[in-house]
Amino acid sequence: MTDRASPTQQFDDPAFYAGDPYPAYAELRAHDPLARHPSGGFRIVSRHADVLRISRDPETFCSGRGILLMDIGRELPEVPGALLYVDPPLHTRYRELVNPSFTGARVRALEPWIRELARDLIARIEPGVPLDVVEHVTVPFPLLVIAELLGVPAEDRDRFHRWSDAMIEATNAPGGAPSDESAALLGDFVNYLLEVFADRRARPRPDLVTELIGAEVDGERLDDGELLMFCIQLLVAGNETTRNLLSAGLVAFAASPGEWTRLRDDPALLSSASEELLRYTSPVISFLRTATRPVEVGGVGIEEGEHLLLLYASANRDERVFGESAERLDVGRHPNHHVGFGFGAHFCLGAALARLETRVFLEELRARFGRIEVAGPVVRTPSTVIAGVTRAELAFLA
Ligand code: HEM
């Protein structure tokens, strides 16, 4: 244990994560890898090996009793189709139903239009003219990808954007209660999706929604409630994460211009650079698990019912795995066993899609720009879950 009063004090404070939390992570990894938060409500799991150990065993470390700090002590409603909140065997059934739509091969078929989208957004960047990349580039990109996947036509994209914002607000609302305005927008979105489901049942198309409606394992299909929840999760999980990966990634390249030059000079580094951005920026800071029985982790006794915060962002800087360059961006890093997408049963369903979006985006950007510079404020988002960038004024030079 460290002898400082409480290095973990700030870990439930969203503002802490909008600063530079990495030195505090390093301190925990070194001195107190399963530190107890002073509230007594949870432990912080900061080492890579312990995050893997826990993620590997969903029977002992469940998600059904909450995955966010704000879930602690709350009565959680049972929501059919909520992948993140269910445990095996139901979780396994859900994944068997939806996995086939998200494999690498399936997702690669989307590459041509994802590339067109990236090209179109990047074409709007004027060399040398500062712009807020969040507003103009990294927000629209994944949002339009998910809109396309869910079959939202171009004329409904503005509504879709508002639904997405409302969804994110609701997900982050203290106590889980969205504002009246967000609740009304969410109601609109639900009705919209129900119409899409009815339309696809009547007129099947070669798209994701038609496929999910027809997905079948052992004669069972997703019902409308499960389908709804599933589509809502795609919107929340696939949107903010990818946006922040790209925003924080561009800021990281501005801070390490040599790494951008390496990537520009060697396109063979595109895949390793995408993985490195996932490691380095860790868009999902942490998720929670709860012990279902007394157990030992890393030599520490864990009681039944104890909550464990898997600090992916810290595991991704663990010097035991990533060596002395763990705190540095290295676009050629290999191997790179990061946990940016989590690990085990809940490993990110959209990983292949997010990887494709990132690689294509970097490829198109490097074809146009030789340098990225910070040209104004970079504002990080206060959140205990998402390592967000709210605003980033950058300039791109040829
Ligand atoms: C950079 C982008 C992304 C990051 C960093 C990311 C990160 C994560 C992480 C860490 C988890 C694990 C949750 C846990 O441990 O409980 C997860 C799960 C999930 N992600 Fe992603 N994600 C990204 C993009 C996407 C995309 C594009 C989609 C969908 C289109 C998506 C859909 C999901 C879903 C549905 C789950 C729940 C899986 C389950 O519980 O079985 N994610 N993601």
Side-chain angles (χ1 to χ4, degrees):
M1 293 278 287
T2 50
D3 51 15
R4 282 242 317 265
S6 181
T8 60
Q9 186 78 46
Q10 315 128 296
F11 276 72
D12 60 353
D13 177 4
F16 164 65
Y17 298 91
D20 177 9
Y22 284 98
Y25 298 167
E27 193 175 335
L28 289 195
R29 282 195 307 275
H31 303 294
D32 200 1
L34 284 140
R36 213 191 277 272
H37 186 260
S39 66
F42 60 99
R43 283 182 184 272
I44 302 155
V45 184
S46 51
R47 284 190 187 165
H48 191 274
D50 295 335
V51 167
L52 292 196
R53 149 87 178 90
I54 291 169
S55 305
R56 242 182 217 127
D57 182 0
E59 274 81 20
T60 307
F61 303 99
C62 74
S63 296
R65 284 154 78 176
I67 58 160
L68 305 175
L69 285 179
M70 70 180 184
D71 294 333
I72 294 177
R74 262 173 70 197
E75 192 63 44
L76 295 174
E78 256 184 49
V79 184
L83 271 177
L84 284 161
Y85 279 90
V86 291
D87 295 299
L90 182 57
H91 179 261
T92 317
R93 176 191 159 237
Y94 284 149
R95 288 296 295 243
E96 281 170 2
L97 281 165
V98 298
N99 278 349
S101 304
F102 287 88
T103 60
R106 293 299 308 279
V107 163
R108 269 195 295 283
L110 309 174
E111 181 164 339
W113 66 261
I114 289 184
R115 185 175 299 283
E116 209 179 295
L117 195 60
R119 244 183 226 160
D120 184 48
L121 286 166
I122 290 168
R124 296 183 206 171
I125 303 176
E126 285 187 47
V129 179
L131 92 163
D132 175 9
V133 280
V134 178
E135 183 185 343
H136 297 284
V137 183
T138 64
V139 165
F141 183 49
L143 188 75
L144 291 170
V145 170
I146 301 287
E148 181 77 25
L149 278 182
L150 293 180
V152 179
E155 64 270 20
D156 290 333
R157 297 281 156 86
D158 284 346
R159 281 164 83 194
F160 189 69
H161 196 157
R162 284 197 298 278
W163 291 329
S164 165
D165 285 347
M167 200 64 71
I168 289 166
E169 196 237 87
T171 316
N172 295 329
S179 67
D180 289 349
E181 196 193 338
S182 291
L185 281 163
L186 298 190
D188 273 354
F189 184 45
V190 165
N191 289 332
Y192 185 90
L193 285 173
L194 288 173
E195 280 169 28
V196 174
F197 299 161
D199 176 74
R200 296 307 190 275
R201 283 196 175 103
R203 284 173 289 279
R205 290 191 211 168
D207 69 8
L208 176 72
V209 175
T210 306
E211 194 173 304
L212 292 175
I213 288 172
E216 201 175 288
V217 170
D218 299 335
E220 276 191 77
R221 293 187 174 188
L222 296 168
D223 63 28
D224 266 7
E226 290 168 330
L227 276 170
L228 267 176
M229 191 55 212
F230 188 69
C231 292
I232 289 171
Q233 279 174 101
L234 289 189
L235 178 58
V236 175
N239 206 347
E240 233 193 330
T241 46
T242 314
R243 163 200 312 181
N244 287 312
L245 172 73
L246 296 176
S247 310
L250 293 175
V251 171
F253 276 124
S256 303
E259 292 305 297
W260 184 252
T261 307
R262 267 179 90 192
L263 181 60
R264 184 145 160 120
D265 291 347
D266 185 359
L269 294 178
L270 276 163
S271 289
S272 59
S274 306
E275 292 307 307
E276 179 64 348
L277 287 192
L278 278 154
R279 183 192 77 87
Y280 190 78
T281 68
S282 291
V284 174
I285 301 169
S286 63
F287 275 130
L288 202 71
R289 298 290 186 264
T290 305
T292 58
R293 62 177 174 89
V295 61
E296 207 177 274
V297 176
V300 175
I302 307 292
E303 290 165 29
E304 192 268 314
E306 262 198 89
H307 301 293
L308 300 161
L309 190 69
L310 304 181
L311 201 53
Y312 299 126
S314 169
N316 278 343
R317 300 284 180 102
D318 192 334
E319 36 294 281
R320 287 155 203 80
V321 175
F322 301 103
E324 57 183 31
S325 66
E327 297 285 355
R328 236 181 23 239
L329 183 73
D330 170 5
V331 293
R333 186 179 297 278
H334 183 80
N336 189 345
H337 299 299
H338 67 79
V339 286
F341 287 128
F343 187 78
H346 289 272
F347 181 79
C348 177
L349 177 72
L353 178 62
R355 283 180 164 133
L356 176 69
E357 289 178 69
T358 309
R359 183 175 54 71
V360 167
F361 182 84
L362 291 179
E363 197 172 352
E364 293 301 321
L365 194 71
R366 76 170 264 295
R368 265 202 79 198
F369 296 110
R371 244 171 56 218
I372 305 171
E373 288 179 357
V374 173
V378 172
V379 182
R380 306 257 172 194
T381 317
S383 165
T384 55
V385 188
I386 292 289
V389 178
T390 310
R391 184 169 168 211
E393 291 254 345
L394 301 180
F396 296 81
L397 300 129

